[in-house]
């Protein structure tokens, strides 16, 4: 799963460079420029990917609690 | 005048919050600087988000979308959704753990320890402070501009020169150096003079940071983040209804978007290579000293999870309305006068004012100020912490000062930094977006150092020196080449074969600092075994 999540991060970076909508003037639902709509999708995709990262790639010792003033 | 009362009331509320937080404080330097590591997931999310969203996100994004179109969202917002959370995940959590284990309060303490080099602090401290100042400047400048524009009257040309109608303040209310020509192009035009408004904002932030410390800052950030998100959405709804003129919200959205000039609907004016290399800019989050300090306030490693997941969605909620307002302002339904169009930083304030509803203008100004101040406070506090920890206590001796002296020195340094920033803000204002990109680019060029310090055993102290000096050297060289941000479209031409690509300066800076770090680290003596054992216990 770890590799899948990091693969999704890379995929998002690739999809971010959406040359296919570069000069597309269409409006989604009649008001949202398609380039903007695509990048809103990237934002939602990022949130989902980071949710998966926190679920499957979170460091094993994640229950560490703070001590007042740090340990030093 | 009503909007001024609302703005004043909001600022008074923040002061109360700062005083309230100080009553919950424990009176120790750890509490003043790191809120005793007591910040849970929700407050951490709100404070991290509020800190990263500033005038750049509201005032700058609207102005830039007005100028360049919807592509601005992809250039910085959606990329930040990927990269910011990445930084929280790959740097925030491990640095929080190291901070817990070894008691760090600042980045410089971490790097001194990790690189086993006392003098790295002498290089890193001035570089970090120098890069934070333009960031502060963006906030101070924008707050002053915004308050001035929403309280201005209307300038009418006449036989005896321009006059101001519906002014909040008559000519002569303030000293002439503040009114700057009153009805002229650069004048206050009957509003609160820009420099006075900036001074008030500095004073308010300074006061609640002064008394509330990190606890007050985190509370104020959480509160202000909610304020600017809610008021931002309210502003979007009301402006849509007012500008569209139809009865239904959806009909207004469609009508306004139909008026967007074709070139603003696409990225035809933005080169693909420039767009791609903008992706390096959000890496700055990995090296922001104020964010490092916020990371250390977390109660547990798990507190980061919510921030990592929700941050991209919060960015979308704030940026999309601003981008739409910006491109609508470029259309025929919003009549942006040429003087405002020439200064895109003023577009959002102009639109708010154009509603003709002073109560709304006051509330929305409070929302914008909330976004600005929620970054300024963390930056002020962080600089105070850095000075006391990295300079005073480090060189003066930790046992020589009491905790109270420690806190008061931090406060004194904060006042000095606020005064310096305010002084710089008195000069010719630059574009918020451009200045922001330059500031972030400087921090992004230091990102390889943060990443290598956490994950690469081969990083040497000489490699770190090379990274910092190369980063700041290339940053200054390119910043100067851009006319100190005067050339807003500045990019570096890179020719491959017969094609020339425009590349953002940040890409060159990151590449240069990475190469310097790798080359110098490979040819200089490796770190001590005990240092590696301390930071990479599982792999020695």
């Amino acid at each position: 799963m770890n590799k899948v999540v990091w693969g999704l991060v890379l995929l998002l970076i690739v999809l971010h460079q959406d040359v296919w909508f570069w000069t597309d003037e269409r409006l989604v639902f009649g008001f949202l420029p398609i380039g903007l709509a695509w990048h809103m999708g990237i934002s939602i995709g990022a949130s989902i990917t980071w949710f998966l990262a926190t679920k499957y790639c979170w460091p094993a010792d994640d229950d560490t609690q703070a001590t007042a003033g740090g340990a030093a | 005048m009503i909007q001024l009362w609302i703005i004043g009331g909001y600022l008074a509320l923040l002061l109360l919050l700062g005083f309230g937080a100080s009553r919950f404080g424990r009176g120790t330097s750890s509490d003043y600087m790191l809120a005793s590591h007591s910040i849970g997931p929700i407050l951490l999310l709100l404070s991290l988000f509020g800190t990263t969203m500033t005038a750049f996100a509201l005032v700058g994004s609207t102005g830039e979308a007005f100028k360049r179109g919807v592509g601005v969202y992809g250039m910085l917002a959606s990329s930040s959704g990927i990269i910011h959370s990445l930084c929280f995940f790959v740097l925030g959590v491990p640095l929080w753990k190291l901070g817990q284990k070894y008691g760090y309060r600042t980045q410089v303490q971490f790097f001194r320890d990790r690189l086993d080099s006392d003098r790295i602090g002498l290089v890193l401290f001035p570089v970090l402070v120098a890069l934070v100042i333009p960031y502060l400047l963006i906030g101070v400048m924008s707050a002053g501009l915004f308050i001035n524009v929403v309280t201005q009257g209307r300038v009418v040309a006449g036989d005896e020169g321009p006059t101001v109608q519906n002014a909040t303040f008559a000519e002569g209310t303030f000293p002439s150096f503040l009114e700057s020509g009153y009805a002229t192009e650069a004048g206050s035009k009957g509003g609160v003079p820009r420099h006075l408004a900036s001074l008030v904002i500095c004073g308010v932030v300074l006061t609640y940071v002064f008394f509330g410390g990190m606890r007050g800052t985190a509370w104020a950030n959480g509160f202000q983040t909610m304020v600017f998100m809610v008021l931002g959405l309210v502003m979007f709804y009301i402006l849509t209804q007012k500008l569209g003129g139809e009865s239904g919200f959806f009909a207004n959205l469609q009508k306004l978007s139909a008026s967007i000039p074709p070139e603003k609907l696409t990225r035809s004016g933005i080169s693909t290579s420039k767009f791609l290399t903008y992706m390096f800019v959000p890496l700055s989050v990995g090296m922001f000293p104020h964010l490092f300090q916020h990371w250390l306030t977390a109660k547990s490693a798990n507190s980061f999870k919510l921030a990592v997941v929700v941050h991209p969605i919060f960015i979308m909620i704030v940026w999309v309305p601003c981008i739409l307002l910006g491109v609508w302002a470029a259309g025929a339904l919003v009549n942006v006068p040429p003087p405002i169009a020439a200064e895109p930083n003023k577009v959002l304030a102009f639109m708010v004012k154009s509603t003709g509803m002073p109560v709304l203008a006051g509330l929305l100004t409070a929302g914008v100020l909330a976004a600005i101040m929620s970054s300024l406070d963390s930056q002020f506090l962080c600089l105070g912490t850095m000075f006391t920890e990295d300079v005073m206590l480090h060189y003066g001796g930790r046992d020589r000062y009491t905790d109270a002296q420690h806190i008061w020195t931090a406060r004194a340094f904060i006042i000095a930094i606020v005064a310096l920033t305010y002084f710089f803000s008195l000069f010719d204002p630059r574009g918020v977006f451009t200045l922001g990109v330059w500031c972030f680019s400087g921090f992004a060029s230091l990102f390889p150092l943060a990443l290598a310090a956490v994950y690469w055993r081969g990083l040497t102290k000489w490699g770190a020196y090379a990274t910092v000096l190369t980063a700041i050297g290339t940053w200054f060289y390119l910043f100067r080449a851009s006319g100190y941000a005067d050339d807003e479209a500045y990019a570096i031409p890179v020719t491959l074969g017969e094609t020339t690509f425009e590349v953002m300066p940040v890409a060159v800076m990151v590449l240069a600092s990475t190469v310097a770090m790798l080359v110098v680290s490979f040819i200089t003596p490796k770190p001590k075994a005990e240092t590696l054992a301390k930071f990479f216990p599982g792999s020695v």
Side-chain angles (χ1 to χ4, degrees):
Chain A
M1 196 61 192
N2 213 324
K3 284 180 183 165
V4 173
V5 171
W6 290 112
L8 285 174
V9 174
L10 279 178
L11 181 67
L12 281 171
I13 292 171
V14 173
L15 293 177
H16 181 270
Q17 192 69 10
D18 58 326
V19 284
W20 47 92
F21 287 137
W22 214 262
T23 52
D24 196 327
E25 295 176 11
R26 275 179 295 168
L27 293 170
V28 179
F29 307 122
F31 77 94
L32 204 53
I34 196 160
L36 181 60
W38 176 264
H39 280 272
M40 287 171 70
I42 297 277
S43 296
I44 295 166
S47 186
I48 294 169
T49 303
W50 291 119
F51 170 74
L52 294 173
T54 56
K55 197 143 179 69
Y56 298 106
C57 310
W58 200 252
D61 52 343
D62 66 348
D63 57 345
T64 315
Q65 289 285 322
T67 53
Chain B
M1 205 63 173
I2 295 171
Q3 63 264 49
L4 258 189
W5 283 108
I6 295 172
I7 296 167
Y10 179 71
L11 297 179
L13 196 64
L14 279 177
L15 291 177
L16 276 177
L17 202 69
F19 289 126
S22 72
R23 292 178 66 88
F24 283 86
R26 299 174 191 174
T28 62
S29 57
S30 170
D31 195 71
Y32 189 77
M33 290 160 188
L34 298 175
S36 301
H37 308 279
S38 61
I39 305 297
I42 293 176
L43 199 50
L44 188 69
L45 162 72
L46 294 175
S47 60
L48 287 178
F49 182 70
T51 304
T52 49
M53 293 296 119
T54 176
F56 186 76
L58 297 173
V59 180
S61 63
T62 308
E64 201 65 11
F66 170 77
K67 221 167 68 180
R68 302 172 78 171
V70 294
V72 172
Y73 184 85
M75 274 156 62
L76 272 162
S78 56
S79 56
S80 294
I82 304 169
I83 304 293
H84 285 185
S85 290
L86 177 78
C87 290
F88 297 165
F89 187 66
V90 301
L91 290 178
V93 177
L95 286 172
W96 177 84
K97 285 181 180 171
L98 290 169
Q100 274 302 301
K101 202 169 171 186
Y102 301 118
Y104 304 131
R105 289 181 182 179
T106 67
Q107 270 173 320
V108 170
Q109 286 176 339
F110 162 68
F111 283 111
R112 273 183 171 140
D113 208 19
R114 164 68 182 86
L115 298 165
D116 206 12
S117 167
D118 191 61
R119 289 186 185 147
I120 189 74
L122 292 175
V123 179
L124 205 50
F125 179 84
V127 168
L128 293 174
V129 173
L131 287 173
V132 170
I133 287 178
Y135 198 168
L136 288 169
L137 201 54
I138 298 166
V140 171
M141 221 169 62
S142 309
L145 266 179
F146 204 92
I147 293 176
N148 173 250
V149 174
V150 295
T151 53
Q152 275 178 7
R154 196 161 60 89
V155 178
V156 181
D159 294 339
E160 295 174 11
T163 53
V164 180
Q165 291 179 347
N166 298 324
T168 309
F169 297 103
E171 189 169 5
T173 306
F174 301 100
S176 56
F177 69 90
L178 284 174
E179 290 184 344
S180 315
Y182 198 69
T184 62
E185 189 72 26
S188 63
K189 301 183 187 78
V192 181
R194 182 166 71 87
H195 299 315
L196 182 65
S198 291
L199 186 66
V200 171
I201 294 301
C202 283
V204 169
V205 178
L206 190 63
T207 308
Y208 76 74
V209 170
F210 201 95
F211 291 102
M214 178 51 96
R215 192 179 301 277
T217 300
W219 285 17
N221 272 352
F223 170 69
Q224 299 202 91
T225 303
M226 288 189 288
V227 166
F228 79 72
M229 287 183 78
V230 170
L231 288 182
L233 291 174
V234 171
M235 167 172 73
F236 178 69
Y237 176 79
I238 293 174
L239 281 175
T240 305
Q241 294 297 82
K242 281 267 172 190
L243 298 171
E246 304 289 329
S247 55
F249 178 64
F250 195 68
N252 282 325
L253 286 174
Q254 291 185 323
K255 186 177 171 185
L256 283 160
S257 289
S259 74
I260 302 172
E263 71 278 10
K264 310 284 182 197
L265 282 170
T266 67
R267 276 160 283 171
S268 52
I270 302 171
S271 80
T272 50
S273 52
K274 212 170 168 184
F275 186 85
L276 177 68
T277 48
Y278 249 100
M279 196 87 176
F280 287 94
V281 176
L283 289 174
S284 53
V285 158
M287 265 309 278
F288 281 157
H290 50 284
L291 218 56
F292 181 93
Q293 198 174 349
H294 268 294
W295 287 340
L296 295 186
T297 63
K299 199 172 185 175
S300 70
N302 272 335
S303 301
F304 282 85
K305 285 184 177 174
L306 190 65
V308 168
V309 175
V310 178
H311 192 80
I313 299 293
F314 271 23
I315 293 178
M316 185 176 80
I317 291 171
V318 170
W319 276 69
V320 169
C322 291
I323 297 290
L324 282 173
L325 288 174
V327 290
W328 290 344
L333 290 177
V334 184
N335 189 16
V336 177
I340 299 286
E343 287 186 76
N345 293 346
K346 292 182 175 174
V347 168
L348 183 62
F350 168 80
M351 291 174 88
V352 167
K353 191 173 159 51
S354 69
T355 58
M357 298 161 71
V359 174
L360 180 72
L363 285 173
L364 301 181
T365 307
V368 171
L369 293 180
I372 294 172
M373 291 191 289
S374 62
S375 301
L376 283 180
D377 52 13
S378 307
Q379 292 156 345
F380 286 155
L381 181 67
C382 167
L383 292 176
T385 307
M386 284 169 67
F387 179 74
T388 50
E389 292 288 335
D390 301 333
V391 179
M392 186 184 93
L393 296 181
H394 186 76
Y395 293 106
R398 201 162 275 275
D399 300 332
R400 263 182 65 188
Y401 304 97
T402 63
D403 235 22
Q405 285 174 319
H406 189 164
I407 295 171
W408 277 100
T409 311
R411 287 170 171 165
F413 190 72
I414 292 170
I415 293 174
I417 287 291
V418 173
L420 186 68
T421 310
Y422 179 71
F423 172 74
F424 285 136
S425 79
L426 298 176
F427 297 98
D428 182 32
R430 293 279 192 244
V432 166
F433 197 86
T434 315
L435 201 57
V437 167
W438 274 104
C439 168
F440 298 165
S441 299
F443 282 110
S445 60
L446 293 170
F447 172 82
L449 178 64
L451 191 69
V454 174
Y455 293 100
W456 187 36
R457 291 160 47 92
L459 173 69
T460 69
K461 66 176 176 184
W462 300 111
Y465 282 117
T467 316
V468 178
L469 294 174
T470 306
I472 198 67
T474 48
W475 181 84
F476 186 72
Y477 176 81
L478 296 171
F479 188 50
R480 191 163 167 263
S482 76
Y484 301 101
D486 197 35
D487 178 1
E488 298 194 353
Y490 182 75
I492 297 163
V494 174
T495 305
L496 291 176
E498 292 187 353
T499 315
T500 300
F501 299 95
E502 278 189 312
V503 170
M504 285 295 290
V506 64
V508 176
M509 292 178 211
V510 173
L511 184 67
S513 65
T514 306
V515 170
M517 181 180 77
L518 293 174
V519 170
V520 177
S521 289
F522 280 127
I523 59 173
T524 49
K526 297 296 159 217
K528 287 184 202 160
E530 55 263 40
T531 306
L532 291 178
K534 184 176 176 180
F535 289 93
F536 302 94
S539 56
V540 173

